[in-house]
Amino acid sequence: MSPVAAADAVKRLRAADREIILLEHTSAILSWDQETFMPHRAIDERSAQLSLLQGLIHRRVTDSANEALFEAAGCSAENAEGREDLDAADRAFLRQAYRRYRRATRLSQELVERFAAAASRGQAVWAAARAADDFAAFAPQLSELVELQLEIAERIGYIDEPYDALLDQYEPFTLTSDIDRAFGELRRELVPLVEAIGSAPQLDDSVLRRDFPAEQQAAFGDKVMRALGYELDRGRLDVSAHPFATTLGAHDVRITTRYNRNFFSSAVFGTIHEVGHALYELGVAEEYHLSVLGEGTSLGIHESQSRMWENMIGRSRHFWEHFYPILLEHFPQSLADIDREAFYRAINRVEPSLIRVEADEVTYGLHVILRFELERALLNRECTVAQLPEAWRERSRELLGVVPERDAEGVLQDIHWSMGGMGYFPTYALGNLYAAQFMETISRDLPTLWDDVRRGEFSLLLDWLRRNIHIHGRARSARELCVDITGSELQAAPFIRYLKQKYGDLYGI
Ligand code: ZN
């Protein structure tokens, strides 16, 4: 096949890809509407609309003409990037497009449908089992889902173990062994750190449970998100039950939040978190717009952006030097007797708890490690579904020093497994690790960083993130970004250093 024909094949694959992305963004608009403004009774037709679009997307991705086109471009299992005489942008495109094609075609329609049905049943059974605190009611469903995920992993193929194939859906080009190495290091350091914090005098966060009217929270949140650089002519903020960020187009990345009148942290830190996701997607280079390269490269890198803004910036002392006086203007009564330092200490209180979604930034990683170890053991057949509740309690004791009395607060607390989402959890903790590793480079590159934050000035930081991370979209993998930026692969040490410094100061340890 001549290079001209290869270039022509790439051109046709790119045209098909553009339509796939347009369909995906159209589908995202319908999902966004469903979560925000859709009237309740529209749900059945909305489901039909979404499943029609998903079917169209699947047909475009798996189109039988694609095989010959990828072949003409020189793509194979060993060489996803195609012919070496193609330019770098085309090769980056082929790597992602071919990966998507292979994943979609390796699973039969029958298996995809069987999995979708089991996942949808799984969620319903899980919700009832959690409400009744009855793991045995969920166990058969979970066993079926584990077997299905193993079948999927076998069909897709993997390097070392089945978990690789599942992880790859969320964290492409990262292996279970990479995670295992980083989490092992994290576990060794975090457990004693949490114990030391537990034996130190505790911080008081009762101020966060005073009265914070939603309108005032919204007005303050608006100031924060504008200051961070979220452009409201390319996005918007609405309210939903579960906060999220979603990409409806290259110039339309929207976020949601929720207001809790008696708990300050959820809306403000939730908004900062989602702004972090949105800034990433809005920063992708124009040449990648409307293509498979036009979004964040992995969930772990995505979380690195949201958590850097939320925790490293938003929960820093410097941040509140600028924003605390503004916050006082919005809540003159509720915060009248609280000084800035007391507020800073309140928003950084650490407490080992049973529930992952309520965990602070120190203990959060331990919740993730617990889930990663268990789901990996299930897939390697080192643990059975029946043994899971006891294995959960044991690990919870080892890692967090707390043991759930009810499975509803233990093994049944998360929705992920019931949806067939094994392999997803590690990305939550990877975000913290990548963020801390990037932040060490950023602090060297931007010596005025913390002075800027103190003045509520974030443009240099955002510009750095755009140039080094956002602009590349999916043209660089998480591993490539990490090595390019920091000179080494993923490590837990920078995150540990960050925690020890911040919490050593807060807890006097
Ligand atoms: Zn997130």
Side-chain angles (χ1 to χ4, degrees), residues 243-245 270 273-274 276-277 299 302-307 310 424 428:
F244 61 90
H273 181 98
E274 301 308 335
H277 284 302
L299 294 186
H302 242 299
E303 282 298 297
S304 80
Q305 299 307 290
S306 54
R307 281 164 201 268
E310 179 195 347
Y424 193 108
Y428 291 133

Side-chain angles (χ1 to χ4, degrees), residues 246-423:
T246 181
T247 298
L248 314 185
H251 298 290
D252 187 356
V253 182
R254 304 185 190 183
I255 61 173
T256 68
T257 194
R258 62 177 159 199
Y259 300 102
N260 179 343
R261 185 164 182 157
N262 299 112
F263 186 54
F264 174 80
S265 296
S266 28
V268 167
F269 293 110
T271 302
I272 298 175
H273 181 98
E274 301 308 335
V275 164
H277 284 302
L279 291 175
Y280 185 10
E281 298 266 310
L282 287 167
V284 175
E286 215 172 306
E287 61 175 308
Y288 301 143
H289 285 179
L290 278 181
S291 89
V292 69
L293 301 179
E295 56 181 76
T297 196
S298 77
L299 294 186
I301 298 295
H302 242 299
E303 282 298 297
S304 80
Q305 299 307 290
S306 54
R307 281 164 201 268
M308 180 183 293
W309 287 107
E310 179 195 347
N311 292 328
M312 295 181 169
I313 303 294
R315 289 183 207 265
S316 69
R317 219 180 234 124
H318 311 87
F319 183 88
W320 292 100
E321 277 189 37
H322 177 75
F323 281 106
Y324 198 65
I326 300 171
L327 187 67
L328 284 177
E329 288 166 18
H330 289 76
F331 302 103
Q333 273 104 43
S334 295
L335 296 172
D337 57 334
I338 301 294
D339 66 18
R340 193 177 70 213
E341 181 64 16
F343 179 79
Y344 167 69
R345 295 166 78 81
I347 58 172
N348 285 296
R349 179 187 157 92
V350 174
E351 189 180 25
S353 66
L354 297 171
I355 307 298
R356 174 184 59 85
V357 296
E358 294 165 6
D360 53 80
E361 78 178 311
V362 182
T363 57
Y364 193 86
L366 294 170
H367 289 269
V368 172
I369 290 172
L370 181 155
R371 287 152 180 79
F372 166 70
E373 290 181 357
L374 290 180
E375 59 187 18
R376 188 182 182 203
L378 275 177
L379 292 164
N380 286 339
R381 302 207 186 279
E382 292 157 10
C383 172
T384 65
V385 166
Q387 292 166 334
L388 210 50
E390 186 48 36
W392 184 290
R393 284 190 285 271
E394 222 169 84
R395 278 198 167 66
S396 185
R397 185 183 302 114
E398 276 170 40
L399 291 164
L400 290 152
V402 291
V403 184
E405 278 174 27
R406 303 163 61 240
D407 287 335
E409 294 179 327
V411 67
L412 285 172
Q413 70 179 268
D414 300 298
I415 194 172
H416 303 61
W417 291 345
S418 77
M419 302 164 67
M422 289 189 169

Side-chain angles (χ1 to χ4, degrees), residues 14-60:
R14 279 187 179 277
D17 175 52
R18 187 174 184 277
E19 293 191 359
I20 292 164
I21 302 302
L22 284 169
L23 285 167
E24 280 181 352
H25 287 168
T26 307
S27 163
I29 295 169
L30 295 178
S31 299
W32 169 82
D33 174 67
Q34 181 178 327
E35 300 299 321
T36 50
F37 296 110
M38 187 188 80
H40 186 63
R41 283 178 60 192
I43 187 65
D44 289 343
E45 187 175 339
R46 180 57 45 89
S47 303
Q49 292 165 345
L50 282 166
S51 96
L52 174 65
L53 281 168
Q54 288 313 311
L56 291 174
I57 291 168
H58 184 75
R59 237 179 289 162
R60 282 277 201 293

